[in-house]
Amino acid sequence: MIQNKFIISYFVIFLGLAHSTAQNKTSSNAIPASDRQQQIDQYWADRAAVQSHQTIPFAPLTLTYIRPASVWEEALPLGNGQIGAMVFGGVADERIQFNESTLWAGNTQNPNNPKGKTALPIIQNLIFEGKNKEAIELADSTLMGKPMHIKPYQSLGELWLDMPHLHVENYKRSLDLKTAVQQTSYQHKGVNYSRQYFISAPANTMVIHYTASKKKSLDLNFTWKRAQDFSCISDPKDPSQLILQGQIGQAETKQEKGLRFAAIAKVYLKGGQFSNKNGKIMITDADEITILVTAATNYPGLKHISYPAQQSNIDPLSTCRNTLKPFKNVDYPLLKRQHIQDYQHYFNRVNLSLDDPDQPNRSGISTDALISLTKEHQKIPSELITKFFQFGRYLLISSSRPGHMPANLQGMWAWQMDPPWNADFHTNINLQMNYWPAELANLSELHQPLFDLTTALIPFGERTAHTLYGAKGWVVHHLTDAWGYTAPADGVQGIWPMGSAWLAQHPWEHYTFTGDRQFLKEKAYPIMKGAANFIMDFMVKIPKNKPFANYWITNPSHSPENSFKLPNGEISSFTYGVTMDSQIIRDLLINCIEASTVLQVDETFRQQCQETLQKLIPTQISAKTGRIMEWIEDYEETEVNHRHTSHLFGLHPGSQISIANTPDLAEAAKKTLLSRGDHGTGWSLAWKINMWNRLHDGEHSYQLLYNLISDKTLPNLFDNHPPFQIDGNFGATAAIAEMLLQSQVRDKNNNYLIELLPALSKNMPSGSIEGLKARGGITVNIHWNNGSLQKAQLLPNRTGPLCISYAGKQIEIMGTQGKAVIITPQLFQNNN
Ligand code: FUC
């Protein structure tokens, strides 16, 4: 008990420090009714005074808090790929902020600058001549998209619910990652209250369920809110339904109107009564309340976006009504069972358990206090590592379901009309990072939305390739949206025509993990071939008077968002043939050669890939610093700790640099990482953890994981760029998986090498992981103890050799489809 009091006061201090800008409230004074929140804001004022002097029982894989969220980044996410919600857990004033994953402003357009094709050779020559400034000026006026900015992903709206409970005790809110159900519980005047929340994929609704230990104790009002462009009305066809509806841009007369949207909150009572008027549902004396919420837009779907835009004949309100039609009555236990079954179909595939005898018992500690304790002890509680890992899987299951949109910069959770970076799809690292855990962490199907987006981009990207560069194939630059924007955006740093080549790595990886040939043929190969065709057509030869004359390079080219000093002191970001470009292209061409060989197609194309491959600039090591050179010349860096570590693409997510096959490059990569440093934005740290893993330096990986969790993680475990950006969550989940298992390196027979515990830290001495995936279609379980392998089990989905390495030694075993192979450390003893 003493321990808990300490923990609670510690927690309050922590919140005060971390969120001094948040609306202040103590746990003893209720906020007066007059101060009640009126406007949609990041911060939230629940009028209730909340006391939480109770023990929080230890609940595995559960995020637990002893106060409601006072800021959006403390609210907890739910989602089914289409509908997303952030639940604040307020008592007198509950707030649930909703997203619908297709709700994007804008429409399809043709942003391709018609001057591009003619200007391109001039720009290229200026760059070869070192006239970077002139090149940038010309590129700015001839290559940039028109318009140059995309429109944002927007919040759908919010349910604001109020209940006359101003002083409550034993408050707790939680999100159980094992079931994807949130719960808020408290006592008020001796009555126990409980609220449960989940978003069901099978029912396509959010389910809100209020109960009390005494009959007739539930009085609740609720209404819909949105910052703009909406109305909230009672459904004339059904008084149990409260409708939110609107159209993006409806309030602005000059703006082009955008998507229409709707949501319905439908109420079901046991006992009590309700009225629905003036945009508000008012419930009194109920024993139990269930509210179903569904939402829709008239977005045509990724498969149907086209230019010129077609009129969509979807009516979002009818879609919502149809979704709710089967629910004349509500069977809450059944809805919950169906939801949990659906969610666990994905979630239960992987189990991580860490056992560290040096860790104190964490029972009774809330999740945000665990983050604070991490800093205090300079060590991550094992429980927080497992939570953080599984939270990343939870977020992918919640935000990326087959048939829906892929996870954007904020997954699908965004409260603003104009979120940071439009909550878009950034294709120069961030979107790809979102999907790094998909295959490794056994969520392969959830990769599909990314392939759907990529496929949808092809016709748009073909138009851009043709208009801007006079090239075949398809291209996307450093970002895109739901409307197929593929031109350079935002400014000249947007002239980065490598997005399609990088995205094409993902469907190939899906094939290497699953072995799904039909997928390779129908989905992956067209993406890859189109990306390679663009690149091979876009590349030019280095002129005769320059180093690497006659090699193929990209021009213009820059290392994402970084810049360098030219010998004359000028700062520039444009050049030709940056290291990352050649590495991405090498990756793509090798994959295309292998894919066309597997599919037995396109001999001429394969030959062209092979010839181009021979003429790509090799990754260079700086004679001055011993590091990997970021640019074709050894320019001076302007920002040594720059957040992008693009020139190590070949180390991760590529596999061209490895300790086994390119030890010199691996050593240079290590020097590069050391000079980049151990800090950075959330996603930058997550990327670097993955890179240290590939260098088998588990201690460095752990250090950066520590930095990420202790410094760049919000109270609700969302990654903090800052601001919130979800890529760091996904990148870290992939990184924790790759500390324990890697399979990207090929052995001398070109088989994937399955590396067991390649970057295990001594801070994770004992534990087990079950259900990870390795390339070649293998499900892997690993148990370790005191830093050493105890036992592993490999279950291949096809017959063939299994090449396994552990602690620098290798073995080869014949694997049979569907038959588990047990690996013990003894097997490695006689092998080098
Ligand atoms: C990249 C990064 C920024 C940010 C943005 C969304 O451009 O360089 O840090 O993450 O994407």
Side-chain angles (χ1 to χ4, degrees):
M1 198 58 193
I2 292 171
Q3 192 204 359
N4 278 322
K5 271 191 185 150
F6 164 75
I7 290 158
I8 287 164
S9 54
Y10 187 90
F11 172 81
V12 171
I13 292 165
F14 162 71
L15 265 187
L17 289 175
H19 298 287
S20 49
T21 45
Q23 306 223 356
N24 253 333
K25 85 184 143 86
T26 66
S27 54
S28 54
N29 293 321
I31 291 176
S34 56
D35 283 1
R36 196 154 154 204
Q37 187 123 6
Q38 298 296 329
Q39 297 294 324
I40 288 183
D41 192 79
Q42 181 177 10
Y43 301 106
W44 183 242
D46 173 7
R47 286 164 302 148
V50 168
Q51 285 187 343
S52 319
H53 293 269
Q54 63 162 338
T55 304
I56 308 173
F58 174 75
L61 290 181
T62 304
L63 277 56
T64 311
Y65 302 83
I66 54 174
R67 285 185 13 159
S70 57
V71 59
W72 188 83
E73 288 80 2
E74 290 171 2
L76 295 170
L78 292 170
N80 67 0
Q82 189 199 332
I83 302 168
M86 292 290 283
V87 181
F88 281 62
V91 176
D93 299 289
E94 170 63 307
R95 172 181 179 187
I96 306 172
Q97 182 268 319
F98 283 88
N99 289 97
E100 206 282 352
S101 65
T102 63
L103 190 56
W104 281 78
N107 206 333
T108 54
Q109 53 186 323
N110 179 6
N112 304 306
N113 198 323
K115 294 181 191 155
K117 214 187 307 188
T118 324
L120 183 67
I122 309 170
I123 296 168
Q124 290 173 327
N125 278 336
L126 288 169
I127 288 175
F128 279 137
E129 288 165 14
K131 295 179 180 160
N132 292 37
K133 227 166 146 189
E134 287 98 314
I136 290 175
E137 268 165 31
L138 185 58
D140 194 15
S141 60
T142 56
L143 292 178
M144 292 311 304
K146 281 171 172 263
M148 196 169 71
H149 298 285
I150 56 162
K151 296 267 173 59
Y153 173 69
Q154 293 191 343
S155 172
L156 171 76
E158 311 201 349
L159 266 190
W160 287 15
L161 309 97
D162 62 83
M163 216 175 216
H165 294 174
L166 292 178
H167 293 268
V168 304
E169 292 170 346
N170 290 336
Y171 174 90
K172 192 178 79 168
R173 70 186 166 106
S174 59
L175 163 61
D176 184 349
L177 301 178
K178 301 182 298 304
T179 56
V181 175
Q182 288 189 34
Q183 176 154 21
T184 300
S185 57
Y186 60 87
Q187 283 173 342
H188 175 69
K189 296 188 176 161
V191 179
N192 296 328
Y193 290 87
S194 164
R195 305 172 180 182
Q196 294 201 350
Y197 309 84
F198 57 88
I199 300 187
S200 159
N204 200 25
T205 59
M206 177 164 185
V207 182
I208 303 170
H209 187 62
Y210 282 40
T211 55
S213 59
K214 193 173 149 215
K215 282 192 182 271
K216 297 190 172 193
S217 300
L218 294 168
D219 300 319
L220 178 76
N221 303 327
F222 67 87
T223 188
W224 280 110
K225 294 269 181 184
R226 194 174 196 267
Q228 62 197 45
D229 300 332
F230 85 108
S231 58
C232 166
I233 54 160
S234 124
D235 189 342
K237 293 190 182 165
D238 180 347
S240 72
Q241 302 196 147
L242 190 66
I243 294 173
L244 163 93
Q245 60 182 352
Q247 181 169 23
I248 291 178
Q250 79 180 20
E252 301 173 40
T253 44
K254 284 193 218 112
Q255 284 278 335
E256 195 192 332
K257 289 196 178 57
L259 286 179
R260 287 185 293 120
F261 53 87
I264 297 180
K266 181 177 174 72
V267 78
Y268 302 82
L269 300 184
K270 270 200 188 145
Q273 52 279 316
F274 73 89
S275 67
N276 184 352
K277 27 178 203 267
N278 305 328
K280 196 174 215 178
I281 287 195
M282 284 173 282
I283 302 164
T284 47
D285 295 334
D287 305 336
E288 206 174 295
I289 303 169
T290 305
I291 304 169
L292 298 189
V293 184
T294 193
T297 74
N298 65 338
Y299 180 70
L302 280 170
K303 291 200 171 80
H304 305 288
I305 54 169
S306 60
Y307 179 80
Q310 305 287 312
Q311 199 65 30
S312 158
N313 52 16
I314 302 167
D315 174 27
L317 188 56
S318 307
T319 312
C320 292
R321 284 205 176 102
N322 288 338
T323 305
L324 292 176
K325 218 177 234 160
F327 300 102
K328 294 269 173 291
N329 301 303
V330 75
D331 182 342
Y332 178 74
L334 178 67
L335 275 170
K336 190 170 166 186
R337 262 201 318 278
Q338 286 170 339
H339 156 70
I340 293 176
Q341 192 181 20
D342 164 78
Y343 170 76
Q344 292 186 340
H345 165 67
Y346 298 104
F347 187 77
N348 285 357
R349 295 171 185 176
V350 177
N351 182 29
L352 171 65
S353 146
L354 295 175
D355 177 17
D356 182 351
D358 294 340
Q359 302 250 352
N361 181 1
R362 304 284 174 199
S363 145
I365 298 180
S366 62
T367 302
D368 38 3
L370 268 183
I371 300 176
S372 310
L373 285 178
T374 303
K375 282 184 225 171
E376 197 185 310
H377 294 295
Q378 308 232 318
K379 188 167 174 177
I380 322 166
S382 317
E383 172 199 338
L384 191 52
I385 300 179
T386 48
K387 267 183 202 164
F388 205 60
F389 170 75
Q390 292 290 21
F391 186 57
R393 296 186 67 245
Y394 169 82
L395 292 174
L396 200 67
I397 302 169
S398 306
S399 65
S400 183
R401 289 292 188 105
H404 296 291
M405 302 299 282
N408 62 36
L409 281 173
Q410 298 194 185
M412 64 186 319
W413 300 277
W415 67 273
Q416 286 145 296
M417 292 295 121
D418 201 357
W421 290 285
N422 300 308
D424 68 22
F425 302 113
H426 252 63
T427 46
N428 66 0
I429 173 69
N430 320 84
L431 177 61
Q432 289 89 339
M433 186 181 280
N434 284 358
Y435 285 89
W436 288 348
E439 303 296 332
L440 296 167
N442 209 336
L443 297 171
S444 190
E445 307 94 309
L446 307 185
H447 219 155
Q448 290 296 339
L450 179 66
F451 309 141
D452 291 343
L453 174 71
T454 313
T455 304
L457 291 179
I458 292 178
F460 295 89
E462 284 174 345
R463 208 170 300 132
T464 301
H466 177 74
T467 316
L468 281 194
Y469 305 114
K472 290 192 295 194
W474 73 280
V475 64
V476 58
H477 292 77
H478 88 298
L479 58 76
T480 190
D481 58 6
W483 301 110
Y485 190 100
T486 48
D490 290 353
V492 282
Q493 79 276 12
I495 305 173
W496 183 78
M498 300 303 298
S500 46
W502 190 345
L503 281 172
Q505 189 191 47
H506 281 252
W508 170 252
E509 288 288 14
H510 181 75
Y511 168 73
T512 67
F513 276 89
T514 60
D516 183 345
R517 265 179 83 116
Q518 196 183 345
F519 170 84
L520 179 66
K521 183 172 166 213
E522 288 166 11
K523 202 121 194 189
Y525 191 66
I527 293 173
M528 295 163 67
K529 187 178 170 191
N533 273 335
F534 166 73
I535 284 293
M536 291 194 285
D537 221 9
F538 171 70
M539 281 197 291
V540 287
K541 278 186 177 172
I542 298 187
K544 288 201 177 54
N545 54 346
K546 301 219 156 253
F548 290 109
N550 284 327
Y551 273 69
W552 289 108
I553 42 89
T554 48
N555 181 3
S557 158
H558 75 266
S559 202
E561 310 194 21
N562 204 358
S563 50
F564 54 85
K565 224 183 229 174
L566 284 165
N568 65 5
E570 193 181 302
I571 297 197
S572 183
S573 53
F574 265 37
T575 176
Y576 58 91
V578 303
T579 303
M580 177 185 233
D581 290 4
S582 300
Q583 291 182 351
I584 293 179
I585 296 166
R586 186 172 297 111
D587 193 86
L588 173 64
L589 298 183
I590 291 173
N591 297 344
C592 282
I593 292 166
E594 200 165 335
S596 67
T597 310
V598 171
L599 297 173
Q600 299 177 328
V601 291
D602 286 341
E603 236 172 87
T604 321
F605 167 72
R606 195 183 319 145
Q607 182 100 26
Q608 196 195 351
C609 293
Q610 253 144 2
E611 283 163 13
T612 312
L613 206 49
Q614 305 311 316
K615 283 285 177 195
L616 289 180
I617 308 248
T619 299
Q620 302 183 73
I621 300 175
S622 159
K624 277 193 290 194
T625 62
R627 308 199 286 257
I628 302 276
M629 278 165 54
E630 184 160 357
W631 298 277
I632 190 157
E633 301 206 25
D634 205 358
Y635 295 123
E636 193 184 323
E637 293 170 285
T638 51
E639 203 186 321
V640 193
N641 306 120
H642 195 269
R643 59 194 181 284
H644 290 255
T645 313
S646 307
H647 44 322
L648 298 194
F649 173 93
L651 179 66
H652 185 280
S655 54
Q656 292 152 39
I657 302 177
S658 67
I659 298 176
N661 296 333
T662 60
D664 294 347
L665 289 177
E667 187 54 32
K670 183 176 172 184
K671 290 189 179 135
T672 310
L673 281 176
L674 287 173
S675 113
R676 272 298 202 256
D678 294 347
H679 297 278
T681 61
W683 67 258
S684 171
L685 286 171
W687 196 2
K688 286 183 281 209
I689 305 170
N690 279 286
M691 289 175 170
W692 281 113
N693 282 342
R694 296 273 171 108
L695 294 175
H696 295 179
D697 190 338
E699 300 320 322
H700 225 121
S701 298
Y702 182 88
Q703 179 59 43
L704 268 79
L705 184 63
Y706 168 83
N707 292 350
L708 177 68
I709 291 182
S710 62
D711 196 33
K712 292 289 154 68
T713 297
L714 291 157
N716 60 3
L717 294 193
F718 270 171
D719 169 66
N720 199 10
H721 179 293
F724 159 53
Q725 203 171 281
I726 208 156
D727 41 13
N729 286 104
F730 292 131
T733 292
I736 294 167
E738 282 216 351
M739 287 171 98
L740 307 173
L741 174 73
Q742 293 177 27
S743 61
Q744 72 285 349
V745 170
R746 306 283 189 116
D747 73 357
K748 53 185 184 313
N749 300 320
N750 212 28
N751 291 315
Y752 292 109
L753 193 61
I754 298 160
E755 300 182 70
L756 303 176
L757 306 176
L760 184 67
S761 161
K762 61 177 182 320
N763 287 299
M764 292 157 65
S766 305
S768 63
I769 181 101
E770 285 161 358
L772 284 187
K773 286 281 183 181
R775 288 170 186 77
I778 302 155
T779 311
V780 182
N781 301 344
I782 309 172
H783 294 250
W784 68 98
N785 196 11
N786 286 327
S788 301
L789 175 71
Q790 236 181 343
K791 178 177 90 171
Q793 179 188 294
L794 273 54
L795 183 64
N797 77 352
R798 63 196 96 144
T799 297
L802 298 172
C803 306
I804 307 139
S805 90
Y806 170 64
K809 297 191 173 172
Q810 277 185 33
I811 54 170
E812 194 173 313
I813 292 176
M814 200 53 198
T816 311
Q817 182 182 16
K819 234 179 131 195
V821 177
I822 302 293
I823 309 290
T824 59
Q826 289 73 32
L827 291 175
F828 296 91
Q829 264 161 20
N830 302 322
N831 282 278
N832 282 309

